[in-house]
Amino acid sequence: MTDLTGKTAVITGASRGIGAAVARMLHDRGMNLGLASRRGDDLGLERVVARPVDVRDLDALVGLCDEVADRFGGIDVVIPNAGVGAYGSFLDLSREFLDEMLDVNLKGTVYAIRAALPHMLGRQGDVITVASEAGRRGLPYEAVYCASKFGQVGLTAALDHELREQGIRCTNICPGGVATDFALEPGRGRTTDVLPGMMTAEDVAEVIVFALERPRHFRILETALRPMTEGSWG
Ligand SMILES: NC(=O)c1ccc[n+]([C@@H]2O[C@H](COP(=O)([O-])OP(=O)(O)OC[C@H]3O[C@@H](n4cnc5c(N)ncnc54)[C@H](OP(=O)(O)O)[C@@H]3O)[C@@H](O)[C@H]2O)c1
């Protein structure tokens, strides 16, 4: 098992939901953290650099990663997790939502990895992308969200070829429904009564910690996890 104590992780979208659950679990394992979100929440944790960062801003992400590396001596793990979703028929989707999903989910992931990677080279690190089941299958009324999530999955899978030889593992985490604010975003038509049937943010965080703690002689390329209330859509 890989001991995470004293290692450093940068997590985007860490102010709530899955990102916050991952941050708390990694902190409990003794990791140092760099946390990015627009509200810049440090979750009340120690050994943290938390800054208000919009992941659409590469310079802001570079600034955070430089500061994290200065403070903790480098970066071992980057977890691009910040994400937004809006749903409905393709032509009804507003330009604002269309741009936000592509920019936050896809470009924000490219930017986060690009900002962290220079500080990870020469270390035994991990890139863990929080994608979605929507990054593995085309789902109805989620075309642009799926496009952003397929993009994340493709990026991370392609980087695996480049980074494996340098000792960096690349993993796509692809959850189904998780009971967070996200699950109730526009167009999903869901009310809060669906939340108890979903996975929790901690369920997903445990899978991420599991991937990180595997011995370094192998890597998990992709995981798919679903609540028992959800079908597998073939
Ligand atoms: N919940 C689900 O059912 C589900 C299923 C599969 C995959 N996912 C994926 O899991 C990831 C996390 O989702 P979640 O369920 O934890 O959502 P959430 O509870 O809504 O949290 C989203 C996080 O992203 C941050 N964020 C949003 N826009 C941002 C921006 N422009 N710049 C920086 N941070 C931003 C938010 O912080 P601020 O508002 O402070 O910026 C927040 O911390 C997303 O990539 C999502 O696509 C979710």
Side-chain angles (χ1 to χ4, degrees), residues 53-158:
V53 168
D54 190 315
V55 296
R56 291 170 285 194
D57 182 348
L58 176 60
D59 293 337
L61 278 165
V62 167
L64 173 75
C65 289
D66 289 353
E67 195 180 341
V68 168
D70 274 356
R71 166 122 176 242
F72 299 120
I75 296 173
D76 303 285
V77 174
V78 61
I79 306 179
N81 162 77
V84 292
Y87 313 92
S89 82
F90 180 59
L91 286 178
D92 288 341
L93 188 67
S94 74
R95 167 76 190 268
E96 182 197 352
F97 281 147
L98 186 155
D99 285 340
E100 189 182 12
M101 278 188 280
L102 294 174
D103 290 347
V104 174
N105 300 358
L106 182 50
K107 281 173 79 176
T109 297
V110 175
Y111 287 172
I113 298 172
R114 200 166 159 128
L117 198 54
H119 304 290
M120 296 171 66
L121 298 175
R123 302 161 78 94
Q124 299 261 292
D126 288 85
V127 174
I128 303 259
T129 300
V130 182
S132 172
E133 185 56 24
R136 302 175 70 242
R137 294 169 206 277
L139 302 177
Y141 303 106
E142 301 194 15
V144 177
Y145 181 67
C146 284
S148 72
K149 291 290 163 179
F150 268 76
Q152 286 183 306
V153 169
L155 169 76
T156 307

Side-chain angles (χ1 to χ4, degrees), residues 13 15-16 18 38-39 54-55 81 131 145 149 176 178 180 182:
S15 60
R16 55 198 155 89
I18 295 167
R38 287 166 302 180
R39 69 175 82 152
D54 190 315
V55 296
N81 162 77
Y145 181 67
K149 291 290 163 179
V178 187
T180 64
F182 179 97

Side-chain angles (χ1 to χ4, degrees), residues 179 183-184 189-198 229:
L184 301 173
R190 288 172 173 155
T191 50
T192 49
D193 55 341
V194 300
L195 297 179
M198 293 181 153
T229 54

